[in-house]
């Protein structure tokens, strides 16, 4: 599994701030997925509110490296999180932590599927290739040279590499 989680700082404990951080975590995990040349067939997302309520979403899909696919899954689940936030009271409704994990990892692209059109396969491959180019640019210039507009201005040090409990980060991850 490849993933990231963050306890949200004060400015990101609003629903829109939490969503932006969640998207950044997904994009970061997807970049690592492509770095290791793996494909993910599932994603788990969790949002924990200050009240202690934890909301989880598990998505299973055709294995891919395409960040757009992962972001669509988050966007599909986000309204459910907002429903719980709106029905909760005050500060206890604030998102406190978000996490995203890509799993069901495979080293090979998915085989052709009778129920998936060639156009859909080709679109997914083109989009994944575009994300690989973005990853290459960001590694070459050792910064976030290319980002989605929704991520622009996000304090990237906040999302920087941390020493993880489950793995030792590679030196190259600290250079980005």
């Amino acid at each position: 599994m490849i993933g990231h989680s963050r306890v949200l700082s004060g400015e990101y404990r609003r629903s829109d701030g939490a969503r932006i951080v969640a998207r950044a975590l997904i994009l970061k995990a997807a970049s690592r997925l492509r770095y290791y040349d793996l494909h993910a067939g599932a994603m788990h997302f969790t949002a924990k509110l200050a009240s202690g309520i934890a909301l989880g979403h598990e998505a299973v899909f055709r294995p891919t490296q395409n960040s757009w696919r992962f972001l669509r899954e988050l966007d599909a689940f986000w309204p459910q999180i907002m429903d719980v936030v709106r029905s909760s009271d005050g500060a206890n409704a604030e998102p406190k932590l978000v996490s995203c994990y890509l799993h069901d990892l495979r080293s090979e692209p998915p085989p052709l599927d009778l129920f998936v059109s060639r156009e859909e396969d080709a679109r997914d491959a083109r989009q994944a290739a575009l994300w690989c180019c973005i990853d290459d640019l960001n590694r070459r210039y050792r910064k976030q040279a290319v980002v989605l507009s929704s991520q622009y201005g996000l304090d990237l040090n906040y999302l920087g590499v941390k020493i993880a409990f489950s793995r030792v980060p590679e030196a190259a991850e600290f250079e980005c």
Side-chain angles (χ1 to χ4, degrees):
M1 121 173 98
I2 294 175
H4 296 282
S5 64
R6 289 290 180 267
V7 174
L8 300 170
S9 62
E11 71 241 43
Y12 295 109
R13 286 195 175 190
R14 307 174 318 274
S15 59
D16 55 337
R19 182 175 175 268
I20 289 170
V21 172
R23 289 173 62 88
L25 294 176
I26 289 169
L27 292 172
K28 188 172 179 176
S31 179
R32 284 184 46 221
L33 178 84
R34 290 185 293 273
Y35 178 79
Y36 294 119
D37 198 23
L38 295 171
H39 297 75
M43 180 177 93
H44 183 83
F45 175 77
T46 303
K48 187 171 183 180
L49 304 182
S51 64
I53 296 172
L55 307 163
H57 175 66
E58 181 80 20
V60 178
F61 38 79
R62 192 150 186 254
T64 186
Q65 292 181 328
N66 184 356
S67 291
W68 293 121
R69 179 71 175 115
F70 308 135
L71 291 172
R72 279 193 304 268
E73 286 299 329
L74 173 68
D75 289 344
F77 180 61
W78 200 257
Q80 293 176 27
I81 294 171
M82 292 301 91
D83 288 345
V84 173
V85 167
R86 281 189 288 273
S87 68
S88 298
D89 63 349
N92 284 336
E94 291 181 335
K96 179 180 177 181
L97 175 136
V98 291
S99 63
C100 172
Y101 295 94
L102 302 173
H103 57 98
D104 189 16
L105 304 180
R106 301 164 189 208
S107 58
E108 298 293 322
L112 293 176
D113 188 325
L114 181 61
F115 301 103
V116 176
S117 71
R118 290 183 192 261
E119 293 82 22
E120 186 178 338
D121 259 349
R123 181 177 52 250
D124 188 72
R126 281 191 314 271
Q127 289 176 350
L130 172 64
W131 282 104
C132 285
C133 291
I134 291 170
D135 293 341
D136 289 344
L137 285 169
N138 287 334
R139 271 193 290 279
R140 181 180 307 154
Y141 295 106
R142 298 177 187 241
K143 58 183 172 185
Q144 296 294 316
V146 180
V147 296
L148 295 179
S149 63
S150 64
Q151 304 308 116
Y152 184 76
L154 182 63
D155 180 6
L156 295 176
N157 289 329
Y158 174 71
L159 295 174
V161 177
K162 310 288 188 274
I163 301 300
F165 293 105
S166 61
R167 70 181 186 88
V168 176
E170 295 182 23
E173 293 180 64
F174 289 94
E175 296 172 359
C176 293

